[in-house]
Amino acid sequence: PTKSKHYENVKVNLCDIFELPQDILCRFPPNGITCYDRWPTEAYFQKTSVFCYGGSITLSNDNRAARKYVLDAVDYRLPLVFSEWSLKFWREFKTSFRSILKSKGLEIRSPYTVVHWRRGDQLLSRCEANIDRSVNCDDAEDLVQLIKKSTNDSMVYIATNEESSNQLNVLHNAGFLTYEKVAIRANTSIYRTSRPNDIQILAIETKLMINANTFLAWGISEIDDTVENQRMLL
């Protein structure tokens, strides 16, 4: 299990989100196996047959090697399979998304664009430190202008962890969709009785990014690297 400030400190187990390859297990390590809470370079290079990892990978501006290890893992040529738990709300969300397409006079298979606009902790950890100077660090007005220059699709969905109602209103006024705009139409029993947590929303939006006709993202994000890799496997 890992904890991340990206998702309101939700404690999450990777085996709950993904259907992992058979040689990757989520369980307590057997006797005699050391479980690391950091990403040790020596274990990476030794490529031991049994390796236990119990933490998260933290990237910093001066730790380029750590990012390389993440990208090596991302480049592992296997399709990303989400677990049943992580996509509990996917069917209802997809139905709502398609109904919005129809309401705009678009076909179900009409091309659409998904944009990943990384916000939240990004503004402090990367923007203020000048690690990221992309539109991730700008206002919604700047993002709208950049999107209009980058895609001609009639439907644009913004996958974002932006919480400012002012910023989100700019996106909505431009005709773009966000999670709340789609979910509010999913008035089914599963949405009335429970609400997806941040990890489940991330799974839904990642699936949208992978399946989109056009995917747009800027700056530094391991999610973007993963999405691009998965799109090449389609």
Side-chain angles (χ1 to χ4, degrees):
T2 62
K3 238 183 178 183
S4 171
K5 62 184 177 181
H6 300 173
Y7 311 114
E8 299 180 354
N9 287 326
V10 174
K11 199 169 186 180
V12 59
N13 190 315
L14 283 177
C15 283
D16 290 335
I17 305 176
F18 305 113
E19 299 291 344
L20 299 175
Q22 291 183 353
D23 56 346
I24 300 178
L25 303 176
C26 289
R27 58 181 174 82
F28 290 107
N31 291 334
I33 298 297
T34 301
C35 194
Y36 298 92
D37 60 1
R38 289 188 169 186
W39 188 258
T41 55
E42 62 272 14
Y44 178 82
F45 286 115
Q46 287 174 3
K47 296 183 181 296
T48 54
S49 58
V50 179
F51 174 65
C52 179
Y53 177 64
S56 59
I57 300 173
T58 300
L59 304 179
S60 61
N61 191 33
D62 59 351
N63 193 357
R64 301 296 179 184
R67 180 171 174 79
K68 178 184 183 301
Y69 301 149
V70 175
L71 297 183
D72 285 347
V74 164
D75 286 339
Y76 196 54
R77 295 291 177 176
L78 280 175
L80 196 64
V81 181
F82 288 96
S83 69
E84 183 178 346
W85 172 85
S86 64
L87 291 181
K88 176 181 177 182
F89 298 86
W90 168 249
R91 182 174 297 178
E92 286 75 14
F93 181 90
K94 182 172 64 174
T95 299
S96 178
F97 185 75
R98 287 178 171 177
S99 73
I100 293 176
L101 283 173
K102 187 175 181 180
S103 71
K104 292 179 176 290
L106 301 173
E107 299 293 333
I108 290 178
R109 296 190 178 276
S110 295
Y112 65 93
T113 294
V114 176
V115 179
H116 183 212
W117 194 36
R118 175 73 185 278
R119 301 291 279 175
D121 65 295
Q122 168 89 6
L123 298 177
L124 294 176
S125 64
R126 290 175 177 168
C127 293
E128 288 192 4
N130 286 324
I131 298 173
D132 189 345
R133 299 180 181 178
S134 72
V135 72
N136 289 336
C137 307
D138 297 332
D139 291 330
E141 290 89 349
D142 301 301
L143 178 66
V144 170
Q145 294 305 313
L146 184 56
I147 291 173
K148 288 182 176 180
K149 293 178 182 177
S150 305
T151 180
N152 294 320
D153 289 344
S154 299
M155 176 69 77
V156 175
Y157 179 98
I158 311 295
T160 183
N161 56 343
E162 175 61 67
E163 296 181 347
S164 166
S165 58
N166 290 335
Q167 295 291 318
L168 293 174
N169 284 338
V170 171
L171 301 179
H172 297 155
N173 290 338
F176 301 159
L177 296 177
T178 62
Y179 175 80
E180 293 298 339
K181 280 290 184 181
V182 179
I184 198 172
R185 296 175 65 115
N187 190 25
T188 59
S189 59
I190 191 170
Y191 266 95
R192 287 195 296 268
T193 57
S194 60
R195 173 182 169 79
N197 63 30
D198 287 354
I199 299 298
Q200 291 169 316
I201 293 174
L202 174 65
I204 288 172
E205 295 193 323
T206 301
K207 195 168 178 65
L208 269 184
M209 293 182 228
I210 292 172
N211 294 333
N213 301 88
T214 302
F215 171 60
L216 298 176
W218 297 270
I220 301 171
S221 171
E222 283 65 56
I223 291 177
D224 298 343
D225 297 328
T226 302
V227 169
E228 290 288 6
N229 177 268
Q230 292 297 309
R231 288 172 63 84
M232 289 189 292
L233 295 179
L234 294 178

